[in-house]
Tab-separated table of all heavy atoms in Angstrom:
chain	number	residue	atom	x	y	z
A	23	VAL	N	202.212	38.629	-257.388
A	23	VAL	CA	200.852	38.421	-257.010
A	23	VAL	C	200.764	37.579	-255.744
A	23	VAL	O	201.306	36.464	-255.772
A	23	VAL	CB	200.117	37.753	-258.216
A	23	VAL	CG1	198.747	37.256	-257.835
A	23	VAL	CG2	200.059	38.638	-259.450
A	38	ARG	N	204.739	43.511	-245.440
A	38	ARG	CA	206.132	43.171	-245.143
A	38	ARG	C	206.971	42.870	-246.333
A	38	ARG	O	208.116	43.282	-246.457
A	38	ARG	CB	206.089	41.889	-244.231
A	38	ARG	CG	205.502	42.125	-242.861
A	38	ARG	CD	205.117	40.807	-242.263
A	38	ARG	NE	204.301	41.100	-240.988
A	38	ARG	CZ	204.634	40.724	-239.793
A	38	ARG	NH1	205.704	40.042	-239.607
A	38	ARG	NH2	203.878	41.051	-238.818
A	44	GLY	N	211.192	46.569	-251.512
A	44	GLY	CA	211.206	47.958	-252.021
A	44	GLY	C	210.175	48.191	-253.133
A	44	GLY	O	210.346	48.920	-254.050
A	48	VAL	N	199.706	47.138	-253.338
A	48	VAL	CA	198.367	47.529	-253.818
A	48	VAL	C	197.355	46.435	-253.506
A	48	VAL	O	197.507	45.312	-253.962
A	48	VAL	CB	198.396	47.812	-255.337
A	48	VAL	CG1	196.959	47.976	-255.938
A	48	VAL	CG2	199.219	49.016	-255.690
A	79	PRO	N	182.179	43.202	-259.839
A	79	PRO	CA	182.353	42.878	-261.252
A	79	PRO	C	183.735	43.273	-261.820
A	79	PRO	O	184.308	44.250	-261.392
A	79	PRO	CB	181.229	43.658	-261.917
A	79	PRO	CG	180.188	43.842	-260.907
A	79	PRO	CD	180.995	43.977	-259.563
A	98	ALA	N	208.663	50.838	-260.044
A	98	ALA	CA	209.740	49.822	-259.793
A	98	ALA	C	209.183	48.452	-259.572
A	98	ALA	O	209.858	47.470	-259.536
A	98	ALA	CB	210.591	50.258	-258.495
A	101	VAL	N	203.594	44.633	-255.202
A	101	VAL	CA	202.998	43.411	-254.643
A	101	VAL	C	201.495	43.533	-254.700
A	101	VAL	O	200.911	44.494	-254.135
A	101	VAL	CB	203.459	43.200	-253.159
A	101	VAL	CG1	202.736	41.954	-252.574
A	101	VAL	CG2	204.949	43.091	-253.075
A	105	PHE	N	194.291	40.731	-255.965
A	105	PHE	CA	194.069	40.953	-257.407
A	105	PHE	C	195.207	40.240	-258.142
A	105	PHE	O	196.342	40.408	-257.729
A	105	PHE	CB	194.045	42.436	-257.775
A	105	PHE	CG	193.827	42.679	-259.232
A	105	PHE	CD1	192.561	42.892	-259.698
A	105	PHE	CD2	194.890	42.696	-260.157
A	105	PHE	CE1	192.331	43.084	-261.085
A	105	PHE	CE2	194.650	42.983	-261.512
A	105	PHE	CZ	193.405	43.117	-261.953
A	121	ALA	N	202.066	45.699	-272.175
A	121	ALA	CA	202.161	46.982	-272.864
A	121	ALA	C	203.227	47.892	-272.228
A	121	ALA	O	203.713	48.800	-272.834
A	121	ALA	CB	200.800	47.748	-272.752
A	123	GLY	N	206.088	46.488	-271.053
A	123	GLY	CA	207.279	45.652	-271.066
A	123	GLY	C	207.519	44.939	-269.793
A	123	GLY	O	208.608	44.581	-269.442
A	127	ASN	N	205.995	38.295	-262.335
A	127	ASN	CA	207.228	37.568	-262.154
A	127	ASN	C	207.040	36.375	-261.197
A	127	ASN	O	207.697	35.337	-261.320
A	127	ASN	CB	208.342	38.451	-261.631
A	127	ASN	CG	208.590	39.565	-262.574
A	127	ASN	OD1	208.098	40.672	-262.394
A	127	ASN	ND2	209.407	39.380	-263.592
A	155	PRO	N	195.670	45.352	-240.269
A	155	PRO	CA	194.829	44.299	-239.654
A	155	PRO	C	195.461	43.891	-238.274
A	155	PRO	O	196.607	43.802	-238.076
A	155	PRO	CB	195.021	43.091	-240.630
A	155	PRO	CG	196.297	43.321	-241.279
A	155	PRO	CD	196.592	44.843	-241.255
A	169	CYS	N	194.576	51.863	-233.311
A	169	CYS	CA	195.647	51.382	-234.206
A	169	CYS	C	197.027	51.793	-233.690
A	169	CYS	O	197.231	52.993	-233.445
A	169	CYS	CB	195.369	51.918	-235.562
A	169	CYS	SG	196.638	51.492	-236.819
A	171	ARG	N	199.671	51.938	-235.428
A	171	ARG	CA	200.355	52.617	-236.521
A	171	ARG	C	199.967	54.063	-236.642
A	171	ARG	O	200.760	54.915	-236.799
A	171	ARG	CB	200.071	51.870	-237.818
A	171	ARG	CG	201.300	51.738	-238.653
A	171	ARG	CD	200.902	51.190	-240.096
A	171	ARG	NE	200.887	49.682	-240.040
A	171	ARG	CZ	200.434	48.966	-241.066
A	171	ARG	NH1	199.932	49.572	-242.179
A	171	ARG	NH2	200.489	47.659	-241.007
A	172	CYS	N	198.653	54.338	-236.557
A	172	CYS	CA	198.203	55.714	-236.860
A	172	CYS	C	197.202	56.283	-235.813
A	172	CYS	O	196.720	57.405	-236.001
A	172	CYS	CB	197.593	55.725	-238.286
A	172	CYS	SG	195.958	55.004	-238.314
A	173	GLY	N	196.807	55.489	-234.805
A	173	GLY	CA	195.880	56.007	-233.837
A	173	GLY	C	194.493	55.943	-234.254
A	173	GLY	O	193.568	56.418	-233.512
A	185	ALA	N	179.045	33.388	-241.417
A	185	ALA	CA	178.300	32.949	-242.597
A	185	ALA	C	178.896	33.570	-243.882
A	185	ALA	O	179.072	32.887	-244.902
A	185	ALA	CB	176.837	33.337	-242.478
A	188	ARG	N	182.255	32.010	-244.723
A	188	ARG	CA	182.075	30.712	-245.395
A	188	ARG	C	181.748	30.939	-246.864
A	188	ARG	O	182.249	30.224	-247.768
A	188	ARG	CB	181.029	29.870	-244.767
A	188	ARG	CG	181.447	29.300	-243.405
A	188	ARG	CD	180.456	28.310	-242.868
A	188	ARG	NE	180.830	27.894	-241.511
A	188	ARG	CZ	181.832	27.017	-241.206
A	188	ARG	NH1	182.489	26.428	-242.175
A	188	ARG	NH2	182.076	26.724	-239.997
A	189	HIS	N	180.886	31.960	-247.176
A	189	HIS	CA	180.563	32.220	-248.543
A	189	HIS	C	181.751	32.767	-249.326
A	189	HIS	O	182.007	32.344	-250.475
A	189	HIS	CB	179.389	33.268	-248.630
A	189	HIS	CG	178.957	33.509	-249.983
A	189	HIS	ND1	178.424	32.528	-250.831
A	189	HIS	CD2	178.866	34.663	-250.778
A	189	HIS	CE1	178.176	33.071	-252.017
A	189	HIS	NE2	178.426	34.297	-252.021
A	192	GLN	N	183.863	29.907	-250.379
A	192	GLN	CA	183.337	29.140	-251.522
A	192	GLN	C	183.555	29.918	-252.797
A	192	GLN	O	183.973	29.338	-253.873
A	192	GLN	CB	181.805	29.093	-251.261
A	192	GLN	CG	181.087	28.129	-252.182
A	192	GLN	CD	179.555	28.205	-251.927
A	192	GLN	OE1	179.158	28.660	-250.911
A	192	GLN	NE2	178.834	27.774	-252.893
A	193	VAL	N	183.398	31.299	-252.732
A	193	VAL	CA	183.648	32.113	-253.939
A	193	VAL	C	185.145	31.935	-254.364
A	193	VAL	O	185.545	31.840	-255.512
A	193	VAL	CB	183.299	33.586	-253.653
A	193	VAL	CG1	183.837	34.509	-254.721
A	193	VAL	CG2	181.779	33.752	-253.510
A	199	ALA	N	190.611	30.174	-257.096
A	199	ALA	CA	191.587	29.060	-257.083
A	199	ALA	C	191.950	28.499	-258.456
A	199	ALA	O	193.115	28.100	-258.689
A	199	ALA	CB	191.049	27.930	-256.202
A	203	SER	N	196.347	27.321	-261.199
A	203	SER	CA	196.906	26.372	-262.217
A	203	SER	C	197.440	27.157	-263.438
A	203	SER	O	198.459	26.723	-264.033
A	203	SER	CB	195.901	25.293	-262.639
A	203	SER	OG	194.721	25.856	-263.013
A	220	MET	N	203.921	35.139	-237.704
A	220	MET	CA	203.866	36.043	-238.869
A	220	MET	C	205.269	36.278	-239.482
A	220	MET	O	205.422	36.319	-240.739
A	220	MET	CB	203.238	37.351	-238.492
A	220	MET	CG	201.742	37.217	-238.117
A	220	MET	SD	200.999	38.716	-237.549
A	220	MET	CE	199.536	38.077	-236.738
Side-chain angles (χ1 to χ4, degrees):
V23 168
R38 293 162 190 240
V48 171
V101 176
F105 180 92
N127 301 95
C169 178
R171 222 186 273 171
C172 73
R188 287 191 188 280
H189 183 59
Q192 192 185 340
V193 168
S203 49
M220 294 175 197

